Amino acid sequence: MSRIYRAGAAALIVAGFATTAQAQRPQIETKKVDGTENVYIFRNGNHQSIFIVTKDGVIATDPIAYGRPTGGQDYIAEIRKVTDKPIKYLIDSHYHYDHIAGGKPFKDAGATIVAHKRAKERLALLKDPNTPLPDQVVGDRRTINLGGTRLELRYLGLNHSDSNLVMLLPKEKLLFVVDTIPVGSFPGRGFIDIYPLETEDFIKKVLALDWDRLIPGHPGQPNGRLGTKKDAQDILTLMQDASAEMKKMGQDGKCWEPAEKEFKLPKYGSWPGYENGLQFVARRYCALWGRGT
Ligand SMILES: [Zn+2]
């Protein structure tokens, strides 16, 4: 009997270790981006942002502290493991709390918070106690030069929200894009209020910029990889396929039902997130082609 119990326990342990890499990784992790001298990815759970260390100070982005009361402090503690330079800027990628809640410790540390102008309008209406308002706003573009690093903030039109800034490091040929272009996975819940047609134009503009690697706001699949222009093109194609698939049903009067039930994209069936995400993609395109919004 005891042998059987031991075997059972061993099997349980093996099963425990055989869970996904996601379950095994630590909650918080900071990694320097390969091939760069000073660009880091800070990950907290399934969210990530970048920070850049220069001789004149640090440029941080998204605090990613929604539902994580110490998340902002934890982020600063990770920065402090790399440098004691002052944190000069905190750049918000857009107004969604899962990415930008938790900015207060950065502000307290003296950082200037920068976001798109519509992000500030939105945040001012909602008054979330965990999300300080931006100190400075950006229209279509702004360049931050600090300690030899050039960071370009670009607003490329409506996409995942009405206020996403993409962040380009031209020397490093890196682009930080949050939420609009998932890397290696099917779109999920966040698709619910995307601007579908405008996002196609947005991705074409992203593809026209000069970069080699895309850092997403959620770790890329598999293994937290960075994206390429092919990944961006794949999402553009996916959106065009999804839109075409729903267009006929919507114009035939089949939205919301039965179109949402019939909608399938078997070409993407093997992508991570397909089973769960399909309903959100279906609903968004039903709204577009069946309702006009
Ligand atoms: Zn978002």
Side-chain angles (χ1 to χ4, degrees):
M1 284 295 280
S2 65
R3 275 175 61 192
I4 293 166
Y5 282 130
R6 277 202 299 274
L12 275 178
I13 289 166
V14 170
F17 280 105
T19 52
T20 62
Q22 192 170 322
Q24 289 173 35
R25 67 188 184 181
Q27 173 69 26
I28 284 177
E29 201 169 25
T30 300
K31 283 185 181 168
K32 187 151 76 169
V33 177
D34 290 344
T36 73
E37 293 165 9
N38 59 350
V39 183
Y40 294 82
I41 296 176
F42 167 74
R43 181 183 60 73
N44 191 341
N46 196 42
H47 291 77
Q48 61 186 17
S49 66
I50 63 171
F51 67 90
I52 306 129
V53 177
T54 82
K55 63 181 172 54
D56 294 336
V58 178
I59 305 168
T61 65
D62 294 355
I64 53 174
Y66 180 74
R68 298 162 180 151
T70 63
Q73 291 292 357
D74 294 340
Y75 189 168
I76 291 173
E78 289 293 293
I79 293 172
R80 287 288 162 255
K81 288 179 187 172
V82 177
T83 179
D84 58 4
K85 300 283 186 193
I87 301 169
K88 295 282 195 182
Y89 293 99
L90 176 70
I91 319 287
D92 289 340
S93 63
H94 61 310
Y95 69 82
H96 292 164
Y97 294 138
D98 62 323
H99 292 274
I100 67 159
K104 187 166 185 304
F106 289 85
K107 194 169 171 77
D108 292 345
T112 298
I113 304 180
V114 180
H116 187 262
K117 60 184 179 186
R118 273 194 294 277
K120 182 170 184 175
E121 291 167 7
R122 192 80 196 140
L123 294 168
L125 280 177
L126 298 174
K127 298 185 176 63
D128 177 56
N130 301 308
T131 311
L133 291 182
D135 302 299
Q136 297 176 1
V137 295
V138 180
D140 285 345
R141 64 194 293 167
R142 174 171 172 187
T143 299
I144 290 177
N145 286 296
L146 184 71
T149 286
R150 178 182 174 91
L151 176 67
E152 297 182 10
L153 311 178
R154 301 278 188 94
Y155 176 72
L156 301 176
L158 297 170
N159 58 101
H160 164 79
S161 80
D162 63 0
S163 56
N164 277 66
L165 292 174
V166 304
M167 305 187 207
L168 176 68
L169 287 160
K171 187 178 73 173
E172 295 81 0
K173 293 202 173 194
L174 287 170
L175 190 70
F176 180 42
V177 180
V178 174
D179 286 347
T180 316
I181 304 176
V183 170
S185 61
F186 198 82
R189 256 190 198 81
F191 210 80
I192 194 70
D193 60 350
I194 197 171
Y195 296 85
L197 296 178
E198 293 88 342
T199 297
E200 293 180 19
D201 289 336
F202 168 88
I203 297 177
K204 288 172 191 167
K205 288 178 192 163
V206 163
L207 285 166
L209 297 174
D210 188 17
W211 55 274
D212 292 331
R213 290 180 291 171
L214 184 152
I215 302 173
H218 300 276
Q221 298 266 11
N223 302 320
R225 72 180 178 90
L226 305 189
T228 62
K229 286 202 168 173
K230 180 180 182 303
D231 290 301
Q233 178 61 56
D234 285 349
I235 293 296
L236 174 58
T237 304
L238 183 156
M239 291 188 67
Q240 290 167 334
D241 289 347
S243 189
E245 182 68 18
M246 188 58 89
K247 183 176 182 178
K248 191 164 185 328
M249 288 193 277
Q251 292 181 343
D252 283 350
K254 295 168 90 174
C255 284
W256 308 94
E257 289 187 73
E260 286 190 69
K261 283 188 177 138
E262 286 175 20
F263 183 78
K264 298 278 186 288
L265 292 170
K267 179 178 163 187
Y268 302 95
S270 64
W271 282 38
Y274 173 82
E275 291 293 334
N276 185 55
L278 192 68
Q279 59 189 310
F280 301 107
V281 174
R283 178 146 300 183
R284 187 65 197 90
Y285 283 111
C286 245
L288 176 66
W289 294 116
R291 195 164 176 247
T293 55

